[in-house]
Amino acid sequence: MKYLYDLRNTPDDNAIASFLERAFRIESDGVSADTIKCFDTFDWRLYNKNRVLFFDGKLWTLAGYDDGEAIAELKWGRQGVYAWDFPESSLRESLTDILEMRALIQLFEAKYCTEKLRILNEDEKTIARLNYHEVWIDDGGSSQEPGVIRQIQLVPVRGYIAETRDVDEYLLQHNYPHSVDYWVHSALQMLGNTPGKYSSKLKVRITPEMSAAGAAREIMRFLLSVMKQNLPGIFADIDTEFVHDFRVAVRRTRSALSQLKKVFPDDDTQRFKADFAYVGKMTNHLRDLDVYLLSKPEFLAMLPDELKPGMTPFYSYLKRERKKALTAVFQEMQSEKFLTVLQDWESFLGKDLLAPNASIPVKKFADKRLHKTWRNFVDEGSVIDEQSPDEALHDLRVTGKKLRYLIEFFASLYPAKEMNKMIKSLKSLQEHLGKFQDLCIQEAFLRAFVDRYSKKHPDAHQTMLAMGMLIGSFHTQKNTIKNNFPQYFHKFARDDKSQLFSGDN
Amino acid sequence: MQIIALYHIKGGVGKTSAAVNLAYLSARSGAATLICDLDPQGASSFCFRIKPKFQSGTEGFIKGGDYLEMNIKGTDYEGLDLLPADLDFRNLDIAFENRKKSRKRLGKSLSSLITGYDYVILDCPPNITLLSENIFNAADIVLIPIVPTTLSIRSYEQLKAFFIKNNYDVAKISGFFSMVERRKRLHKDIVATMQGQYPEILESAIPYLADVEKMGQNRAPVCAFAANSRAARAYENLWTELIEA
């Protein structure tokens, strides 16, 4: 139960204390005024976990989004961007779990005034707390007056719940209705911001009566909007995930272009396939470098302490390279070629063009594609054993990815429970394949670095030893995955889901 | 969770005043804190204006878990909860006696608290009984207020001897001087001698001050109603030294 009350329609906004005094003993702990900043990540990770982060210049507070209840506090006067910027504390621990590698972005800044009241019993013991919040939201000039939110929050004291209920009843009786939301939500609404509005997850609703081309356009439009929404964050280099989400949207677009066969005219399909291959390639190097930089703690953990300093040249190299790669991405993203691709693609998606599969019902189309890709995946996977070459696992990963994207595109056409289960089990299998692929690439990357670096610094034994240990560890991990893979695959394939795509649903 | 027991074999040595103020200071520093009023007289409950009533009886107290949780009350101070005393607590000894592992029940019962506390402060009754032995097992620190008199030195030594004889961890014992009157020559001498002799005795001492006496009147920790007083500063120093030690 959250005891929040709106004061929007109540006439005596400023007289809450004197109003309560008519029925209760009240003690004021004073009024405090501050400027408060409110944060979340671009993809609303805090909001999605019902959290919000405040900073008043001295104190960081992680609180419940829906009730403002403080979950962790940290006295720290500096502005943190990533979870790892914060000093060791329970606040940092909670942020690390939720934010992972994402940066904090300021949602708004507000002038904030709170009066803290305590409600006392006959022994003058506090039996409930009551916070009166007044928040002035400045929307940056789009309206003349800053918006004001007034809210009362009744905070129960442990062991005095009956007394809290009495206060609650009194407020309700006197025209202080319960608020639906904590003031932060009202503030965001006032600013025209919708929490949770961005998500990289494919949120497209395809219905069975849609045409295959119509559904394809719907999916592609969503993916294009994800690409576009991430561009400002890429240019501002806020965190690594803008590039990552952009790349995933490009990859899904490319997969859709090649898998949703003949829903668009052939010439156009060929052209955009080439265009998005170019767009995808643009960020390859940058993403690789980001991945190595992000896995720094993981790599260092694999090494004994005395070899850790040996990694310094590697990370200095990565940082220098990343700077160059980022500049290259900026240039490419401002190029005529790139902007034309996006514009042409957008206008293409607005057109309804003739193609062999364009007008067939999407359900029929999806059944066929999914059935076939599922069979291919199972056939390919079931012949893999410890002796198979690395390439067999790579190829299977590619087919698996195709299957996963197809499932995600068309999930809304099938029973949600079954599809979620399937996505989940496919995802866990793909994680092994993805890890295997990463290990292969990392091994090659480290080898290439060693080749170059050892020529210039033949005496850098510590660095060579560290690299050697990592490569050795990658190799062991690869073998473990390969040896266990038949077992993983058997677990995945033991219940055949292909009947889901037989057209009977 | 760290358990700090304020203990002395006799009463009137400043146990409750220390327990109440240290618990308050712990919560003020941001640590989730619980003060357990184990003394049937309920002095620390009184200081926090909470009625001395434990609804689950001694049996519930020993069972712990929900039986403890349901009795915990929030104090006037954020982050500080209190487990109130009850006159029935005078029978805790008998209740412990009837259980297996009768000397380890308190630790078990406290560790069953679902709510995570960083510090649990025990305000213990003055005597040496089965309950006290449970406290010696459960606590991480057994903190002894020592009034600087010759008799106090004797009872401090007796307690240490009791610990050794009964295989309790003597390293848990720590002490501080309480109700120190600077004008009394004897007090000064004893403080100086004992601090040299017992390294576990903390340097911060609590002077004999009227503000401490006023806690009963104000029903609040002196650190709360007279935050800038000498008494409040003395408790602050004691808390800092204790947790840094």
Side-chain angles (χ1 to χ4, degrees), chain A residues 116 118 121-126 129 157-160, chain B residues 48-51 69 72-77 115 117:
Chain A
K116 288 195 165 183
R118 286 183 291 123
N121 67 8
E122 67 282 3
D123 288 329
E124 307 215 330
K125 160 82 181 68
T126 309
R129 293 190 171 82
V157 169
R158 186 166 183 178
Y160 297 90
Chain B
F48 286 110
R49 302 166 191 266
I50 292 170
K51 293 184 177 64
E69 296 275 343
I72 292 174
K73 301 265 182 194
T75 66
D76 284 9
Y77 313 100
T115 325
Y117 290 105

mmCIF file of all heavy atoms in Angstrom, chain A residues 116 118 121-126 129 157-160, chain B residues 48-51 69 72-77 115 117:
data_model
loop_
_atom_site.group_PDB
_atom_site.id
_atom_site.type_symbol
_atom_site.label_atom_id
_atom_site.label_comp_id
_atom_site.label_asym_id
_atom_site.label_seq_id
_atom_site.Cartn_x
_atom_site.Cartn_y
_atom_site.Cartn_z
ATOM 1 N N LYS A 116 8.657 18.112 6.319
ATOM 2 C CA LYS A 116 8.550 16.807 6.978
ATOM 3 C C LYS A 116 7.779 16.962 8.269
ATOM 4 O O LYS A 116 8.175 17.717 9.149
ATOM 5 C CB LYS A 116 9.933 16.245 7.256
ATOM 6 C CG LYS A 116 10.634 15.788 5.997
ATOM 7 C CD LYS A 116 11.822 14.917 6.313
ATOM 8 C CE LYS A 116 12.238 14.197 5.030
ATOM 9 N NZ LYS A 116 13.325 13.291 5.221
ATOM 10 N N ARG A 118 5.691 14.944 11.525
ATOM 11 C CA ARG A 118 5.525 13.675 12.224
ATOM 12 C C ARG A 118 4.205 13.702 12.971
ATOM 13 O O ARG A 118 3.830 14.723 13.544
ATOM 14 C CB ARG A 118 6.677 13.441 13.196
ATOM 15 C CG ARG A 118 7.969 13.052 12.482
ATOM 16 C CD ARG A 118 9.106 12.747 13.435
ATOM 17 N NE ARG A 118 9.584 13.922 14.137
ATOM 18 C CZ ARG A 118 9.620 14.019 15.472
ATOM 19 N NH1 ARG A 118 9.183 13.024 16.230
ATOM 20 N NH2 ARG A 118 10.061 15.113 16.054
ATOM 21 N N ASN A 121 1.634 10.151 19.030
ATOM 22 C CA ASN A 121 0.573 9.632 19.894
ATOM 23 C C ASN A 121 0.598 10.366 21.237
ATOM 24 O O ASN A 121 1.334 11.343 21.405
ATOM 25 C CB ASN A 121 0.691 8.107 20.050
ATOM 26 C CG ASN A 121 1.951 7.696 20.815
ATOM 27 O OD1 ASN A 121 2.667 8.545 21.350
ATOM 28 N ND2 ASN A 121 2.206 6.400 20.849
ATOM 29 N N GLU A 122 -0.137 9.861 22.215
ATOM 30 C CA GLU A 122 -0.245 10.587 23.494
ATOM 31 C C GLU A 122 1.084 10.632 24.251
ATOM 32 O O GLU A 122 1.302 11.499 25.089
ATOM 33 C CB GLU A 122 -1.383 10.017 24.356
ATOM 34 C CG GLU A 122 -1.179 8.597 24.884
ATOM 35 C CD GLU A 122 -1.438 7.507 23.831
ATOM 36 O OE1 GLU A 122 -1.721 7.843 22.660
ATOM 37 O OE2 GLU A 122 -1.330 6.309 24.175
ATOM 38 N N ASP A 123 2.011 9.709 23.929
ATOM 39 C CA ASP A 123 3.337 9.754 24.553
ATOM 40 C C ASP A 123 4.290 10.634 23.744
ATOM 41 O O ASP A 123 5.500 10.621 23.988
ATOM 42 C CB ASP A 123 3.938 8.342 24.622
ATOM 43 C CG ASP A 123 3.242 7.477 25.659
ATOM 44 O OD1 ASP A 123 2.779 8.055 26.661
ATOM 45 O OD2 ASP A 123 3.155 6.254 25.449
ATOM 46 N N GLU A 124 3.732 11.320 22.747
ATOM 47 C CA GLU A 124 4.521 12.123 21.806
ATOM 48 C C GLU A 124 5.516 11.266 21.039
ATOM 49 O O GLU A 124 6.603 11.703 20.680
ATOM 50 C CB GLU A 124 5.213 13.278 22.533
ATOM 51 C CG GLU A 124 4.207 14.096 23.329
ATOM 52 C CD GLU A 124 4.527 15.565 23.369
ATOM 53 O OE1 GLU A 124 5.706 15.917 23.303
ATOM 54 O OE2 GLU A 124 3.571 16.355 23.453
ATOM 55 N N LYS A 125 5.155 10.031 20.818
ATOM 56 C CA LYS A 125 5.955 9.115 20.016
ATOM 57 C C LYS A 125 5.466 9.206 18.575
ATOM 58 O O LYS A 125 4.264 9.278 18.326
ATOM 59 C CB LYS A 125 5.735 7.695 20.562
ATOM 60 C CG LYS A 125 6.070 6.560 19.622
ATOM 61 C CD LYS A 125 7.552 6.265 19.646
ATOM 62 C CE LYS A 125 7.935 5.142 18.702
ATOM 63 N NZ LYS A 125 7.798 5.411 17.285
ATOM 64 N N THR A 126 6.409 9.209 17.628
ATOM 65 C CA THR A 126 6.050 9.266 16.214
ATOM 66 C C THR A 126 5.345 7.976 15.807
ATOM 67 O O THR A 126 5.888 6.889 16.013
ATOM 68 C CB THR A 126 7.319 9.424 15.350
ATOM 69 O OG1 THR A 126 8.073 10.509 15.876
ATOM 70 C CG2 THR A 126 6.986 9.665 13.901
ATOM 71 N N ARG A 129 4.892 9.252 9.567
ATOM 72 C CA ARG A 129 5.553 10.441 9.022
ATOM 73 C C ARG A 129 4.750 10.911 7.829
ATOM 74 O O ARG A 129 4.124 10.108 7.132
ATOM 75 C CB ARG A 129 6.974 10.119 8.568
ATOM 76 C CG ARG A 129 7.874 9.786 9.700
ATOM 77 C CD ARG A 129 9.327 9.712 9.257
ATOM 78 N NE ARG A 129 10.158 9.597 10.439
ATOM 79 C CZ ARG A 129 10.375 8.444 11.073
ATOM 80 N NH1 ARG A 129 9.859 7.338 10.592
ATOM 81 N NH2 ARG A 129 11.099 8.415 12.167
ATOM 82 N N VAL A 157 5.172 4.083 10.203
ATOM 83 C CA VAL A 157 6.286 3.715 11.076
ATOM 84 C C VAL A 157 6.056 2.266 11.469
ATOM 85 O O VAL A 157 4.915 1.868 11.771
ATOM 86 C CB VAL A 157 6.319 4.624 12.319
ATOM 87 C CG1 VAL A 157 7.302 4.099 13.364
ATOM 88 C CG2 VAL A 157 6.699 6.039 11.922
ATOM 89 N N ARG A 158 7.105 1.493 11.440
ATOM 90 C CA ARG A 158 6.972 0.065 11.721
ATOM 91 C C ARG A 158 6.279 -0.170 13.067
ATOM 92 O O ARG A 158 6.626 0.458 14.065
ATOM 93 C CB ARG A 158 8.360 -0.566 11.740
ATOM 94 C CG ARG A 158 8.286 -2.044 11.872
ATOM 95 C CD ARG A 158 9.593 -2.677 11.569
ATOM 96 N NE ARG A 158 9.398 -4.111 11.647
ATOM 97 C CZ ARG A 158 10.321 -4.998 11.402
ATOM 98 N NH1 ARG A 158 11.506 -4.610 11.041
ATOM 99 N NH2 ARG A 158 10.066 -6.277 11.497
ATOM 100 N N GLY A 159 5.310 -1.061 13.040
ATOM 101 C CA GLY A 159 4.621 -1.407 14.284
ATOM 102 C C GLY A 159 3.433 -0.517 14.599
ATOM 103 O O GLY A 159 2.807 -0.673 15.641
ATOM 104 N N TYR A 160 3.138 0.469 13.725
ATOM 105 C CA TYR A 160 2.017 1.379 14.004
ATOM 106 C C TYR A 160 1.085 1.474 12.797
ATOM 107 O O TYR A 160 0.672 2.556 12.402
ATOM 108 C CB TYR A 160 2.548 2.780 14.372
ATOM 109 C CG TYR A 160 3.375 2.778 15.632
ATOM 110 C CD1 TYR A 160 4.744 2.581 15.577
ATOM 111 C CD2 TYR A 160 2.771 2.940 16.875
ATOM 112 C CE1 TYR A 160 5.515 2.552 16.731
ATOM 113 C CE2 TYR A 160 3.533 2.907 18.042
ATOM 114 C CZ TYR A 160 4.903 2.718 17.956
ATOM 115 O OH TYR A 160 5.649 2.689 19.106
ATOM 116 N N PHE B 48 12.570 5.691 24.198
ATOM 117 C CA PHE B 48 12.068 5.884 22.835
ATOM 118 C C PHE B 48 10.540 6.001 22.808
ATOM 119 O O PHE B 48 9.930 5.908 21.757
ATOM 120 C CB PHE B 48 12.549 4.748 21.930
ATOM 121 C CG PHE B 48 14.006 4.845 21.581
ATOM 122 C CD1 PHE B 48 14.931 3.954 22.095
ATOM 123 C CD2 PHE B 48 14.463 5.858 20.743
ATOM 124 C CE1 PHE B 48 16.282 4.057 21.781
ATOM 125 C CE2 PHE B 48 15.812 5.962 20.413
ATOM 126 C CZ PHE B 48 16.716 5.066 20.945
ATOM 127 N N ARG B 49 9.946 6.172 23.972
ATOM 128 C CA ARG B 49 8.504 6.374 24.086
ATOM 129 C C ARG B 49 7.704 5.191 23.540
ATOM 130 O O ARG B 49 6.644 5.361 22.929
ATOM 131 C CB ARG B 49 8.060 7.643 23.334
ATOM 132 C CG ARG B 49 8.743 8.907 23.816
ATOM 133 C CD ARG B 49 8.530 10.033 22.823
ATOM 134 N NE ARG B 49 9.388 11.165 23.157
ATOM 135 C CZ ARG B 49 8.999 12.188 23.903
ATOM 136 N NH1 ARG B 49 7.775 12.249 24.358
ATOM 137 N NH2 ARG B 49 9.834 13.166 24.170
ATOM 138 N N ILE B 50 8.271 4.010 23.689
ATOM 139 C CA ILE B 50 7.571 2.824 23.186
ATOM 140 C C ILE B 50 7.141 1.976 24.377
ATOM 141 O O ILE B 50 7.926 1.750 25.301
ATOM 142 C CB ILE B 50 8.475 2.042 22.213
ATOM 143 C CG1 ILE B 50 8.679 2.882 20.936
ATOM 144 C CG2 ILE B 50 7.886 0.677 21.872
ATOM 145 C CD1 ILE B 50 9.710 2.378 19.980
ATOM 146 N N LYS B 51 5.893 1.548 24.330
ATOM 147 C CA LYS B 51 5.355 0.788 25.457
ATOM 148 C C LYS B 51 6.071 -0.551 25.583
ATOM 149 O O LYS B 51 6.265 -1.248 24.585
ATOM 150 C CB LYS B 51 3.853 0.558 25.258
ATOM 151 C CG LYS B 51 3.080 1.852 25.343
ATOM 152 C CD LYS B 51 1.587 1.658 25.254
ATOM 153 C CE LYS B 51 0.854 2.979 25.428
ATOM 154 N NZ LYS B 51 1.133 3.963 24.360
ATOM 155 N N GLU B 69 9.901 -10.295 14.493
ATOM 156 C CA GLU B 69 9.584 -9.255 13.498
ATOM 157 C C GLU B 69 8.303 -8.496 13.865
ATOM 158 O O GLU B 69 8.230 -7.286 13.753
ATOM 159 C CB GLU B 69 9.388 -9.881 12.107
ATOM 160 C CG GLU B 69 10.629 -10.533 11.535
ATOM 161 C CD GLU B 69 11.563 -9.588 10.817
ATOM 162 O OE1 GLU B 69 11.134 -8.469 10.469
ATOM 163 O OE2 GLU B 69 12.734 -9.966 10.614
ATOM 164 N N ILE B 72 8.717 -5.683 16.444
ATOM 165 C CA ILE B 72 9.649 -4.571 16.230
ATOM 166 C C ILE B 72 8.875 -3.291 15.932
ATOM 167 O O ILE B 72 7.924 -3.291 15.161
ATOM 168 C CB ILE B 72 10.627 -4.912 15.083
ATOM 169 C CG1 ILE B 72 11.554 -6.042 15.520
ATOM 170 C CG2 ILE B 72 11.443 -3.692 14.672
ATOM 171 C CD1 ILE B 72 12.459 -6.571 14.436
ATOM 172 N N LYS B 73 9.283 -2.208 16.567
ATOM 173 C CA LYS B 73 8.622 -0.915 16.362
ATOM 174 C C LYS B 73 9.621 0.084 15.795
ATOM 175 O O LYS B 73 10.781 0.110 16.223
ATOM 176 C CB LYS B 73 8.117 -0.363 17.707
ATOM 177 C CG LYS B 73 7.127 -1.270 18.409
ATOM 178 C CD LYS B 73 5.729 -0.855 18.076
ATOM 179 C CE LYS B 73 4.709 -1.710 18.811
ATOM 180 N NZ LYS B 73 3.372 -1.545 18.262
ATOM 181 N N GLY B 74 9.147 0.916 14.888
ATOM 182 C CA GLY B 74 9.985 2.009 14.405
ATOM 183 C C GLY B 74 10.077 3.073 15.486
ATOM 184 O O GLY B 74 9.096 3.339 16.184
ATOM 185 N N THR B 75 11.239 3.683 15.651
ATOM 186 C CA THR B 75 11.371 4.762 16.637
ATOM 187 C C THR B 75 11.082 6.101 15.950
ATOM 188 O O THR B 75 10.684 6.119 14.790
ATOM 189 C CB THR B 75 12.793 4.810 17.220
ATOM 190 O OG1 THR B 75 13.679 5.183 16.155
ATOM 191 C CG2 THR B 75 13.210 3.470 17.795
ATOM 192 N N ASP B 76 11.330 7.185 16.657
ATOM 193 C CA ASP B 76 11.153 8.507 16.059
ATOM 194 C C ASP B 76 12.237 8.817 15.027
ATOM 195 O O ASP B 76 12.164 9.817 14.335
ATOM 196 C CB ASP B 76 11.218 9.593 17.153
ATOM 197 C CG ASP B 76 9.931 9.631 17.963
ATOM 198 O OD1 ASP B 76 9.101 8.719 17.776
ATOM 199 O OD2 ASP B 76 9.768 10.566 18.770
ATOM 200 N N TYR B 77 13.235 7.957 14.956
ATOM 201 C CA TYR B 77 14.396 8.252 14.124
ATOM 202 C C TYR B 77 14.481 7.262 12.972
ATOM 203 O O TYR B 77 14.393 6.046 13.194
ATOM 204 C CB TYR B 77 15.671 8.225 14.982
ATOM 205 C CG TYR B 77 15.464 9.015 16.247
ATOM 206 C CD1 TYR B 77 15.177 8.374 17.452
ATOM 207 C CD2 TYR B 77 15.449 10.409 16.211
ATOM 208 C CE1 TYR B 77 14.918 9.105 18.601
ATOM 209 C CE2 TYR B 77 15.185 11.145 17.358
ATOM 210 C CZ TYR B 77 14.916 10.496 18.551
ATOM 211 O OH TYR B 77 14.639 11.222 19.671
ATOM 212 N N THR B 115 14.498 -8.837 8.400
ATOM 213 C CA THR B 115 14.920 -7.500 8.031
ATOM 214 C C THR B 115 16.418 -7.389 8.257
ATOM 215 O O THR B 115 16.902 -7.763 9.310
ATOM 216 C CB THR B 115 14.209 -6.469 8.935
ATOM 217 O OG1 THR B 115 12.911 -6.955 9.202
ATOM 218 C CG2 THR B 115 14.156 -5.124 8.275
ATOM 219 N N TYR B 117 19.595 -5.866 9.379
ATOM 220 C CA TYR B 117 20.158 -4.773 10.181
ATOM 221 C C TYR B 117 21.672 -4.811 10.091
ATOM 222 O O TYR B 117 22.264 -5.891 10.072
ATOM 223 C CB TYR B 117 19.722 -4.903 11.650
ATOM 224 C CG TYR B 117 18.254 -4.624 11.857
ATOM 225 C CD1 TYR B 117 17.356 -5.656 12.090
ATOM 226 C CD2 TYR B 117 17.763 -3.322 11.778
ATOM 227 C CE1 TYR B 117 15.992 -5.404 12.256
ATOM 228 C CE2 TYR B 117 16.409 -3.066 11.946
ATOM 229 C CZ TYR B 117 15.535 -4.101 12.184
ATOM 230 O OH TYR B 117 14.199 -3.844 12.343
#
